[in-house]
Amino acid sequence: MKNIIEIITTGDEILSGITQDTNFSWLCDSIFKYGLKVNYHQCIGDNLEHLINSLELASSRSNIIIFTGGLGPTDDDLTRLAASRFFNKNLLQNKNSEEKIKNIFKKRRRKYSKINKKQSFFPEGSKIIENPFGTADGFLIKKKNSSFYFFPGVPKELKIMIENSLFKNLYKLIKSSKNFMKSEMLK
């Protein structure tokens, strides 16, 4: 199967121009270094219906979907809910994730807030991708022939999580496939 890669970035702050979407640039460059290329990119605001629609569109044309942003604790962080509705899966709490969040707050000498409990819920059947630097763990869930990777939008957190999950999987994919490219820059 040909690897069709799509990136979905989310956040009103990106669409308004307040925040530059450096995650997209870094991801494209990194994926290209693996001999693959990004075929599609969507940037979606903090709107539940639009997020669900973006997942539907990506599912119809791509088999590797990388979703960044919207995993935080605030009301505009809608990625978990959008994924839950798109996959038609309940959000289930992961006690290990909640315990990790509580420990992070304790180490930082901050009071744990119930608002952060939201970050310990994941769509049923998803595989959790641990975040070694922050409170927002990501997750991987498959539907038909597509793999959906969900990561937080904080660049430092995103990069290490991608290195530990997505890139390892891409490397395995490339080794088993003859469908990759090579690029050299001559000066």
Side-chain angles (χ1 to χ4, degrees), residues 45-69:
D46 298 320
N47 177 290
L48 184 60
E49 183 181 337
H50 296 169
L51 294 170
I52 295 168
N53 290 341
S54 75
L55 290 167
E56 289 172 0
L57 177 59
S59 174
S60 73
R61 63 188 184 188
S62 303
N63 64 317
I64 300 170
I65 297 97
I66 305 160
F67 196 108
T68 71

Side-chain angles (χ1 to χ4, degrees), residues 57-162:
L57 177 59
S59 174
S60 73
R61 63 188 184 188
S62 303
N63 64 317
I64 300 170
I65 297 97
I66 305 160
F67 196 108
T68 71
L71 294 179
T74 62
D75 289 339
D76 65 343
D77 289 315
L78 301 168
T79 298
R80 293 170 200 286
L81 183 56
S84 168
R85 293 206 179 151
F86 170 71
F87 293 109
N88 198 26
K89 302 277 187 181
N90 291 324
L91 285 172
L92 302 177
Q93 186 179 29
N94 181 289
K95 293 289 187 185
N96 291 335
S97 284
E98 184 182 28
E99 203 54 43
K100 182 187 102 171
I101 295 167
K102 287 179 178 178
N103 287 334
I104 288 171
F105 273 79
K106 189 176 181 179
K107 283 181 187 174
R108 294 178 184 169
R109 295 182 179 162
R110 292 176 51 202
K111 186 179 177 199
Y112 175 75
S113 170
K114 292 289 182 191
I115 192 171
N116 290 91
K117 186 173 187 168
K118 172 183 178 180
Q119 293 180 291
S120 65
F121 283 82
F122 301 91
E124 186 177 11
S126 58
K127 179 183 175 195
I128 295 172
I129 300 169
E130 190 175 329
N131 181 343
F133 294 128
T135 58
D137 286 337
F139 57 97
L140 164 64
I141 191 164
K142 296 184 179 192
K143 183 176 183 179
K144 296 181 184 172
N145 293 326
S146 297
S147 295
F148 293 78
Y149 292 84
F150 294 86
F151 299 101
V154 178
K156 177 183 176 184
E157 298 173 17
L158 169 89
K159 289 176 182 178
I160 190 69
M161 292 170 72
I162 290 226

Side-chain angles (χ1 to χ4, degrees), residues 1-5 36-37 39 63-64 173-174 177 179:
M1 174 180 207
K2 193 169 184 177
N3 298 312
I4 308 295
I5 300 173
L36 300 170
K37 71 174 188 152
N39 302 88
N63 64 317
I64 300 170
L173 238 158
I174 290 166
S177 168
N179 194 8

